[in-house]
């Protein structure tokens, strides 16, 4: 966990040379449990397809759907690679990395890791945003790791309803009961 | 024969129709079967697709989020349907994630096959993508179990049964129709036969009616003619007596006028006698004296006479058959008949033409005889045909031509008794007459007279009636005549000839007179007598009493005891009424001198 966090943090905060960042990030990402993050990255995309979005929430055809990563980014390039060429219906997916979640940011999927959960979730409460949390409480979808290291998730339907979202029964069927 | 062929070809047509219909039904059945099969396959494919969709929906989430267990559950669930033989689920990279197959059945392919939905002989194969809101998540593969033979049979059996039943019904229908046609044809035949029989019956009735009419006419004319004959005998006798009693005085104009008047009256009476004789001929009551006749010789003689009397315009030709047989007939009547036909021919050819008289031997067979309305025996005949190229007759005229008094000629020209004489004579001679006529073409009258077989007897020449000098006598004559005037007239003639005459009016009186006068040499009796005895009976009884007695009959009316079929009994002497003085003189003398 620690060394995973360090390179990301360094990438984000330090005003170091791009080359260093570019060199370091792949090294760490590829190193520690890269599968977990790759799986989570693809799941984030796929979640979009299992949500009944309120009318107009995804904007006009062709408009990208924003997948926002708030706070430290644990995926690195993997998420961009997973999303390359992906479409949800007519909508391409655009990955945005935000320091902070704000109301009206246009995010449809909001991934928050760890402690910064509460503020971010509060910021988008009531908006048609599928909130995904990892390692902290709250949000509509919560990533979990099974004992054998498999990525699973649980669902909070009340939270979904609060954000005006209906989740596909297919998604519910594969979710872990909280 | 012909109706059979028609019937047969009809049946063939029926059969052909049935075959064509059966083929049509089979074709329709096959088409319908193919259609239902096609529909069934489509339905099967649709159903398999629905199953695939259900499976796809069930595994979409599990595929997306890599939930192997849920994928396996869904596969197991879908395989619970026994009609699904094999199932496979692949992830988006085409890797088989879960599979299930019935025991013995081939499993799903290892790699995801391209999307398709096809009907195979061994089941419907569907491969379709798993898509969630446009995101491809993987692939499902599904194959249904092949249909069992019993299911296929059940599916097509109903239609097949219907088609078979329809074909059988058609065959039955065709057979029934053919049978019906056969029956209606038989009915038609029967109807035709009935119509023919009715026709024949009508013809027979018509013929009977016709012959009855002729018979009735004969009775009537015969009766009238008989009475006329008696009267004419008196008239002619009276006129002859006047002539003899007052011989013409040379140079006396009154005497000359009287004799002219007498001659004219006598001629008229003779014409009247000819007419009554024709009437009698028609009535077949003319006394006939049949002799063997060589018709060729007779026709040759007559043709000469006709050439000189019929005029330049009419060409008379004769076509005489070689070896023509003899016939037995009254030569005088036959001559009259041929002359009557010649006169008719001339009348039919006012502008001239050809008159042909033919003779030939002829045989009338049973079929011909059966077809005639007048009775005629089958056998050998001598045929005489008189043909003209005249105006001919229409059907109506032809029908009535032989009836007495039927004429189309103007009053004074035609008597309507010519053909009646021919007809009556021929019939009385056991012959047959046939008239063929075509309007505008001409007429042929054929007379058939029975062949006479006694060929060794040379044909007799007609005895000449010429008077050989004195035909007088002084014998006693017993005269029996019921007609008072005629009796007085006959008695006067006989006395004039020198005979002693005893007059009686009936049989019993005559027999009584015979008792009283044994010197009677001749019984001269009418054939028809009142008082219970006819002339023949009187003659028989008289001869019994006086064996050497000579007998002479007279009659105008011959259908009775002495005349059989119009022919005199052998040895019987007869003088027909009306008779002239000279005829009577000759006849009485000849009988007495026998
Ligand atoms: N050779 C013929 N050609 C045309 N018509 C005929 C001939 N013979 C007879 N007929 C028709 O039959 C009718 C009767 O003939 P018949 O008995 O001889 O009487 P008649 O000659 O006095 O009229 C005739 O008036 C005539 O119309
Ligand atoms: Mg005539």
């Amino acid at each position: 966990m620690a060394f995973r966090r360090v390179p990301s943090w360094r990438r984000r905060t330090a005003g170091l040379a791009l080359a260093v960042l570019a060199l370091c990030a792949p090294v760490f990402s590829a190193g520690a449990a890269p599968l977990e993050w790759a799986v989570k990255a693809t799941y984030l995309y796929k979640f979009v397809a299992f949500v009944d979005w309120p009318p107009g929430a995804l904007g006009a055809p062709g408009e990208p759907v924003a997948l926002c990563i708030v706070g430290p980014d644990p995926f690195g390039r993997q998420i961009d690679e997973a999303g390359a060429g992906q479409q949800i219906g007519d909508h391409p997916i655009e990955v945005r990395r935000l320091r902070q979640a704000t109301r009206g940011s246009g995010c449809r999927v909001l991934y928050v890791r760890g402690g910064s959960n509460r503020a971010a979730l509060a910021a988008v409460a009531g908006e048609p945003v599928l909130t995904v949390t990892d390692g902290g409480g709250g949000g509509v979808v919560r990533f979990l790791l099974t004992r054998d290291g498999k990525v699973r998730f649980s669902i909070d339907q009340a939270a979904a309803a609060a954000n005006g979202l209906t989740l596909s029964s297919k998604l519910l069927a594969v979710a872990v009961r909280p | 024969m012909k109706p059979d062929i028609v019937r047969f070809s009809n049946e063939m047509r029926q059969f052909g129709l049935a075959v064509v219909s059966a083929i049509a039904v089979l074709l329709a059945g096959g088409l319908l079967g193919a259609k239902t099969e096609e529909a069934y396959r489509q339905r099967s494919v649709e159903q398999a697709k629905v199953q695939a969709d259900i499976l796809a929906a069930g595994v979409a989430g599990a595929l997306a989020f890599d939930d192997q267990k849920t994928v396996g559950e869904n596969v197991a669930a879908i395989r619970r349907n026994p009609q699904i033989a094999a199932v496979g689920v692949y992830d988006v990279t085409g890797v088989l994630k879960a599979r299930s197959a019935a025991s013995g059945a081939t499993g799903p392919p290892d790699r995801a096959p391209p999307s398709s939905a096809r009907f195979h002989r061994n089941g419907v194969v569907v491969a379709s993508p798993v898509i969630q809101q446009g995101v491809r998540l993987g692939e499902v593969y599904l194959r249904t179990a092949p249909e069992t033979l019993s299911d296929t049979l059940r599916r097509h059996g109903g239609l097949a049964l219907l088609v078979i039943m329809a074909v059988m019904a058609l065959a039955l229908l065709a057979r029934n129709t053919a049978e019906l046609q056969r029956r209606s044809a038989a009915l038609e035949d029967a109807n035709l036969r009935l119509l023919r029989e009715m026709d024949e019956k009508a013809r027979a009735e018509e013929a009977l009616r016709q012959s009855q009419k002729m018979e009735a006419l004969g009775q009537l004319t015969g009766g009238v003619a008989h009475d006329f004959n008696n009267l004419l005998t008196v008239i002619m006798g009276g006129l002859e007596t006047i002539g003899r009693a007052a011989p013409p005085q040379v140079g006396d104009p009154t005497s000359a006028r009287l004799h002219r008047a007498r001659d004219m009256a006598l001629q008229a009476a003779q014409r009247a006698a000819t007419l009554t004789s024709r009437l009698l001929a028609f009535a077949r009551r003319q006394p006939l004296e049949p002799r063997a006749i060589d018709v060729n010789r007779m026709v040759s003689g007559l043709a000469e006479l006709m050439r000189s009397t019929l005029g330049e315009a009419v060409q008379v030709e004769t076509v005489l058959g070689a070896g023509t047989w003899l016939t037995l007939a009254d030569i005088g009547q036959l001559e009259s008949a041929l002359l009557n036909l010649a006169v008719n021919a001339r009348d039919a050819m006012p502008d001239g033409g050809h008159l042909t008289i033919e003779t030939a031997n002829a045989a009338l067979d049973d079929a011909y005889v059966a077809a005639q309305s007048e009775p005629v025996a089958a056998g050998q005949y001598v045929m005489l045909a008189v043909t003209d190229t005249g105006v001919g007759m229409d059907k109506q005229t032809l029908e009535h031509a032989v009836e007495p008094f039927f004429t189309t000629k103007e009053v004074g020209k035609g008597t309507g008794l010519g053909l009646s004489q021919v007809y009556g004579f021929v019939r009385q001679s056991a012959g047959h007459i046939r008239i063929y006529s075509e309007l505008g073409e001409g007429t042929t009258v054929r007379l058939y007279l029975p062949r006479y077989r006694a060929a060794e007897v040379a044909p007799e020449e007609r005895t000449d009636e010429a008077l050989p000098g004195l035909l007088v006598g002084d014998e006693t004559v017993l005269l029996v005549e019921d007609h008072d005037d005629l009796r007085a007239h006959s008695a006067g003639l006989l006395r004039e000839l020198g005979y002693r005459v005893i007059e009686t009016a009936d049989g019993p009186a005559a027999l009584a007179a015979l008792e009283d006068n044994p010197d009677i040499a001749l019984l001269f009796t009418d054939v028809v007598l009142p008082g219970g005895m006819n002339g023949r009976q009187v003659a028989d009884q008289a001869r019994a009493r006086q064996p050497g007695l000579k007998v002479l009959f007279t009659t105008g009316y011959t259908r009775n005891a002495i005349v059989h079929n119009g022919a005199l009994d052998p040895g019987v002497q007869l003088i027909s009424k009306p008779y002239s003085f000279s005829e009577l003189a000759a006849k009485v003398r000849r009988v007495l001198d026998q």
Side-chain angles (χ1 to χ4, degrees), chain B residues 456-497:
Chain B
E456 61 276 6
V457 179
E460 260 180 76
E461 269 304 292
R462 201 178 168 189
T463 48
D464 216 308
E465 301 276 323
L467 297 178
L470 279 177
L471 290 168
V472 294
D474 54 4
E475 291 93 341
T476 303
V477 177
L478 175 56
L479 174 62
V480 192
E481 170 65 67
D482 61 310
H483 195 283
D484 291 342
D485 291 344
L486 192 58
R487 189 174 63 244
H489 166 69
S490 300
L493 292 182
L494 288 168
R495 289 196 183 101
E496 208 173 317
L497 287 166

Side-chain angles (χ1 to χ4, degrees), chain A residues 39 42-53 58 86-89 150-153 168 170-171 173-175, chain B residues 53 56-71 73-74 92 130-137:
Chain A
V39 168
T42 58
Y43 281 14
L44 280 178
Y45 285 115
K46 287 176 183 171
F47 285 143
V48 185
F50 290 87
V51 175
D52 278 344
W53 297 98
L58 294 186
Q86 286 274 18
Q87 289 261 124
I88 303 296
K150 278 201 148 197
V151 180
R152 309 285 349 139
F153 49 85
S168 165
K170 297 171 188 169
L171 187 64
V174 291
Chain B
D53 285 350
V59 298
L63 272 181
F65 304 108
D66 200 20
D67 185 349
Q68 183 66 36
K69 195 169 133 258
T70 308
V71 171
E73 278 168 9
N74 272 287
V92 75
V130 181
I131 291 173
Q132 179 70 28
Q133 292 203 11
V135 179
R136 192 185 176 92
L137 300 171

Side-chain angles (χ1 to χ4, degrees), chain B residues 340 343-344 347 409 418-419:
Chain B
N340 280 332
V343 168
N344 281 350
D347 292 349
K409 295 164 193 173
L419 286 178

Side-chain angles (χ1 to χ4, degrees), chain A:
Chain A
M1 268 300 207
F3 45 76
R4 249 185 358 232
R5 209 187 291 156
V6 173
S8 309
W9 168 84
R10 214 169 58 181
R11 235 174 72 192
R12 230 164 266 241
T13 51
L16 293 171
L18 271 167
V20 176
L21 278 171
L23 275 170
C24 291
V27 173
F28 289 108
S29 309
L35 194 61
E36 178 192 337
W37 297 103
V39 168
K40 282 181 179 170
T42 58
Y43 281 14
L44 280 178
Y45 285 115
K46 287 176 183 171
F47 285 143
V48 185
F50 290 87
V51 175
D52 278 344
W53 297 98
L58 294 186
E63 239 176 77
V65 175
L67 194 165
C68 304
I69 300 163
V70 179
D73 172 11
F75 304 106
R77 277 173 57 197
Q78 287 189 83
I79 194 153
D80 299 288
E81 280 161 13
Q86 286 274 18
Q87 289 261 124
I88 303 296
D90 298 328
H91 307 277
I93 294 195
E94 184 186 76
V95 179
R96 292 194 206 155
R97 295 178 174 84
L98 305 175
R99 196 166 304 152
Q100 265 178 354
T102 49
R103 182 165 291 271
S105 64
C107 295
R108 285 299 159 256
V109 180
L110 189 79
Y111 174 81
V112 246
R113 239 191 123 203
S116 51
N117 279 1
R118 301 226 166 262
L121 294 180
V124 299
E127 282 194 52
V129 179
L130 182 77
T131 50
V132 182
T133 62
D134 199 356
V140 179
V141 180
R142 296 168 200 174
F143 276 127
L144 308 163
L145 272 182
T146 59
R147 266 195 299 278
D148 54 356
K150 278 201 148 197
V151 180
R152 309 285 349 139
F153 49 85
S154 69
I155 299 228
D156 183 351
Q157 275 182 275
N163 280 6
L165 304 178
T166 315
L167 302 181
S168 165
S169 60
K170 297 171 188 169
L171 187 64
L172 300 176
V174 291
V176 174
R177 315 241 154 243

Side-chain angles (χ1 to χ4, degrees), chain B residues 344-345 348 388 392-393 397 401 406-409 414-420 443:
Chain B
N344 281 350
D388 64 61
M393 286 178 259
T397 307
F406 175 84
T407 180
T408 56
K409 295 164 193 173
T415 57
L417 289 175
L419 286 178
S420 325
T443 304

Side-chain angles (χ1 to χ4, degrees), chain B residues 194-212:
Chain B
L194 192 70
L195 281 176
R196 241 195 326 264
E197 272 162 25
M198 274 161 63
D199 223 45
E200 257 159 40
K201 196 165 164 246
R203 258 212 309 281
E205 273 169 6
E206 173 58 26
L208 184 66
R209 207 183 54 76
Q210 181 68 17
S211 74
Q212 277 172 349

